[in-house]
Amino acid sequence: MSVDAADLDRTLVADRDRWEDGPPQELFRELRGQCPVHWSAKISEYPGEEGFWSVTTAEDVHEVSRDWQTYSSANGITALRHAILPVELVGAMFIGMDPPKHDRIKALFQRGFTPKRIAEHEDAIRAITRDVLDRLEGRATCDLVEDVAQPVVARVIGSFMGLPPEDDAPWANLMNTVLGAGDPDLNPEGVDAVMAREVPEIFERCGKLIAERREHPTDDLTSVLVHAEVDGEKLEEHEIVMGFFLLMAAGNDSTKATYCSAMRALLEDSEQRELLLNDPALVPSAVEEALRMFPAFAHFGRTATRDAELGGAHIKEGDKVVMWYVSSNRDESRYEDPDHFDVMRNPEHQAFGAGGRHFCLGTALARLELKILLEETLARYPRMTLDGTPLYVVSPFVNQLKTLPVRLDG
C-alpha cells in the first residue's frame, strides 16, 4: 500500500490492513527516504496501546540495539505493551530484561549455543529433516509450512528442551497461536483468548515439566531453567515458565519463517535455484541472504528511559521505540538492489538483532537448521514448484508464511 508523502505523518505503521500480504516494503522504503524515525499515533486494532516510534534504517536500528541504558527492554519488547501478553509476563523472560539480570540468565544458556556445541547436533538435525521429508513419499503435493518446516523445527527445539515427540504438535500450536494472535486463521477467537486459554495451558504443561525436573534433573534446557541460580536464588516458577516459553517460541518460529520464505524466493526465481543446485557450497551464503530478506521477526521494541535524539526525531522518556528489521535489512544505503534475492550476496544483516546485549542466543542453531533444510529439500525435490498462492500470517511481529503449497516434482 503506497503512501503519499503528505500523508506520512498520519500513517499508522502497525495497522492490520498494511500487513495482509506481509511487510509493507513500499511504505518502509518511503519512510527510510523521507522520515526514517516516524511516529505512529496509535494502533487502531488495540485502542489501549500508546503510539510508538518506527526506526527504519540500519544505522538507527544499530544505535537503539546497542544503547540499552537509553532504550530499555524492561517495559516491553514489541509495539504492544498490554495486549496479548502483559508486560509483567514478558518481563519474566530474559529478552524482556536489562543488564545485569539479563546477562546473568542469558549466560546460563550461552555455553550450549556456541557454534562448536551446536555443530555437534548436525547429524541429529539432518536425521530429523530427512525423516520428515520421508513422510512425503508418494505424495504429489504438500504445504511446506505444515508438512516440512513445522515438524522439523518443533522436533529440533523439542529435543533441546527434553520433550517427547508426541508433545511437538501441541506445543507448536500454542506457540503459533500466541505469537500470531492477531491472525484470524491462527486465532479465530481473538487476542483475548490467549490470556484466557493458551497462557493457562502453557503454565499447566510447564508446571508438570518443572515438577519432573526438580525430582529428576536431566541435561536438557528445561532442567537448566529449573535448577538455575541467579545471585544465589532459584528462578521463580513464572520466570521458569516464561524462560521455557521464550526458548520454545524462538525455536518454533525463527527457522520455520525464514526457511519457508527462502523456499518461496527460490521457487519464484529459477536462476537463483539453479545456482544452488549446481553449487551446493553456496547454501551458507543463501542462508545469510534469506536471513537478510526474511527476518523471522518483523520488529522488536524498546522504551526510552530518557529524552533522546534519533534520526532527526525528538524521543521523549517513556516513548515506545520499535526497530523494524524488515526495513533495516533492505536499507538502500547498505545493500544494492535490496529487494532482489541473491544467493551469492552473503550479506551482513540484522535478522538476529543489531548487536548489543540482546543479540540472538540461537544464531548458530538457526543457521545450521536453515542450511540443512535447504540442502535436504533441494536435494530431494529439485524441481518443486508452487501449487497455489502462499499466505502470510497477518502480523506486524512474526514475519512468516502460514501456507506455502507446492507440487513436489514440478
Side-chain angles (χ1 to χ4, degrees), residues 352-398:
F352 297 123
R357 297 301 227 285
H358 287 278
F359 193 73
C360 177
L361 177 72
T363 56
L365 178 58
R367 285 182 165 117
L368 180 60
E369 283 187 85
L370 287 167
K371 174 179 177 290
I372 290 170
L373 273 162
L374 288 178
E375 287 173 346
E376 294 295 334
T377 306
L378 292 172
R380 189 79 63 102
Y381 298 108
R383 299 300 163 211
M384 182 186 292
T385 57
L386 286 173
D387 189 42
T389 302
L391 297 176
Y392 274 93
V393 176
V394 183
S395 169
F397 179 53
V398 291

Side-chain angles (χ1 to χ4, degrees), residues 32-58:
R32 289 193 299 272
Q34 301 179 51
C35 186
V37 180
H38 169 274
W39 177 253
S40 288
K42 62 179 180 179
I43 305 174
S44 299
E45 191 176 355
Y46 301 99
E49 293 286 343
E50 305 88 353
F52 62 91
W53 294 100
S54 286
V55 184
T56 62
T57 67

Side-chain angles (χ1 to χ4, degrees), residues 89-151:
L89 285 182
V90 174
M93 299 183 276
F94 63 81
I95 197 173
M97 300 173 185
D98 290 327
K101 189 171 184 179
H102 163 272
D103 297 355
R104 292 168 184 159
I105 295 182
K106 188 175 183 179
L108 297 171
F109 303 99
Q110 282 182 310
R111 283 175 294 180
F113 282 92
T114 64
K116 181 179 179 181
R117 290 292 296 274
I118 291 300
E120 296 170 0
H121 296 273
E122 177 165 359
D123 289 346
I125 295 172
R126 200 172 291 277
I128 289 168
T129 304
R130 288 174 174 172
D131 176 67
V132 168
L133 291 171
D134 286 345
R135 300 174 201 173
L136 302 178
E137 192 69 34
R139 293 178 57 173
T141 63
C142 79
D143 187 312
L144 282 185
V145 179
E146 290 299 320
D147 296 323
V148 177
Q150 185 66 80

